[in-house]
């Protein structure tokens, strides 16, 4: 998929998230959703060939689930619950990717 298609998926995640969380600053939430939709393609920065980039760790759902669980635990443990909406929006963007 081309980056514009990934960004469209991120925009859809943002729209859904902003409906349920009207108190969140929309520009940050949109940026979080868009970054999440592009995050699995971060391997492109490391010189991975486009035809092989789906076989890296960044395209494995278990990788992103692990990142989510660890980050959620850290945010909850250290009292940063206000960032959970951003984390959830980011991770939904990665799975929609």
């Amino acid at each position: 998929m081309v980056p514009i298609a990934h960004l469209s998926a991120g925009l859809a995640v943002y729209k859904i998230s902003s409906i349920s969380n009207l108190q969140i600053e929309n520009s940050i939430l949109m940026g979080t959703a868009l970054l999440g939709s592009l995050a699995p393609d971060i391997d492109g920065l490391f010189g991975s060939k486009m035809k092989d980039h789906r076989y890296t760790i960044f395209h494995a759902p278990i990788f992103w689930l692990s990142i989510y669980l660890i980050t959620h635990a850290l945010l909850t443990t250290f009292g940063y619950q206000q960032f959970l909406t951003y984390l959830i929006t980011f991770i939904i963007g990665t799975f929609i990717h």
Side-chain angles (χ1 to χ4, degrees):
M1 216 172 4
V2 294
I4 194 73
H6 293 319
L7 291 173
S8 299
L11 187 60
V13 171
Y14 159 71
K15 289 291 188 182
I16 293 168
S17 296
S18 65
I19 290 170
S20 62
N21 295 303
L22 296 176
Q23 75 277 7
I24 300 296
E25 187 175 334
N26 288 333
S27 61
I28 296 173
L29 191 64
M30 184 191 321
T32 305
L34 294 176
L35 282 174
S37 68
L38 292 174
D41 286 335
I42 197 168
D43 53 358
L45 298 175
F46 304 118
S48 175
K49 294 179 183 175
M50 283 308 289
K51 68 181 180 94
D52 297 330
H53 84 282
R54 289 191 180 97
Y55 302 114
T56 65
I57 187 72
F58 297 108
H59 269 77
I62 192 74
F63 173 78
W64 293 107
L65 182 60
S66 300
I67 294 293
Y68 168 74
L69 292 173
I70 291 167
T71 307
H72 188 279
L74 290 172
L75 289 175
T76 304
T77 301
F78 293 110
Y80 293 105
Q81 285 85 2
Q82 69 269 23
F83 295 110
L84 289 178
T85 301
Y86 299 113
L87 175 63
I88 292 167
T89 301
F90 179 85
I91 204 68
I92 291 171
T94 60
F95 282 109
I96 295 292
H97 169 92

